[in-house]
Amino acid sequence: TSEPFSYFARSRATPQNLLILENKDPFFCMRKHLLSGHSSVLGDVMGTLIYGAGKRVLSSFSAFDISAEPYMRSPDNRFLYFGDLDYEGIGIYERLAAGFSISDIIPWRAGYLKMLEKAEERCSLPETRDQQNRNLSGHFFSFFSEEEKSQMLSILESDRYIPQEILNIS
């Protein structure tokens, strides 16, 4: 039996954007934003938010084709992923994207670019947690410009990361 996933559906219409969020706080923050009457987040209209629960998203999506609601399985939907900008978060995305059979999953560019912008405003970023798997395929970075990729790699290679919680409802 597959691991069930938690989600919030603002709409069940298709096609739509389904945003997979790695962590709980951003899920509830964006859910609150959508419940307050907004339909978009950082310029992207969102129909469904899915709480990924970190690495647990890999097991919950392993049986997506049989456990998800019919509207979610529409081949016209667009799946977006948003997690911490660290080795672990990027690795989760790359493993999920490689193993997902319904549709492509792409990084949510608007979210990651806003994270980079907010990180520039901070004096310091948290240190990368020990023992993170640093083996990345590079697929994640293929969705960003060379300048954006360089900025991300600079943060990672300095043993720092950007938690997705840097973005909040405000």
Side-chain angles (χ1 to χ4, degrees), residues 1 19 23 25 27-28 39-40 45-46 49 51-52 54 64 75 85 91 104 106-107 115 119 156 162:
T1 303
L19 178 61
N23 298 319
D25 286 344
F27 172 81
F28 280 107
S39 61
S40 64
V45 175
M46 298 297 177
L49 303 176
Y51 170 49
F64 183 84
L85 190 53
D104 291 333
I106 61 173
M115 286 172 73
L156 296 175
I162 307 175

Side-chain angles (χ1 to χ4, degrees), residues 82-125:
F82 183 56
D84 291 337
L85 190 53
D86 65 355
Y87 291 104
E88 206 63 42
I90 294 169
I92 292 168
Y93 161 74
E94 289 185 343
R95 289 189 302 280
L96 180 63
F100 193 51
S101 62
I102 303 301
S103 174
D104 291 333
I105 299 176
I106 61 173
W108 183 41
R109 277 185 50 82
Y112 286 106
L113 296 180
K114 188 58 132 177
M115 286 172 73
L116 288 173
E117 179 185 315
K118 297 290 276 184
E120 287 180 359
E121 298 170 5
R122 285 190 145 184
C123 295
S124 66
L125 293 171

Side-chain angles (χ1 to χ4, degrees), residues 55 86-88 91 95 130-136:
K55 291 180 189 173
D86 65 355
Y87 291 104
E88 206 63 42
R95 289 189 302 280
D130 290 338
Q131 301 176 355
Q132 285 198 356
N133 181 350
R134 294 175 181 236
N135 296 320
L136 303 175

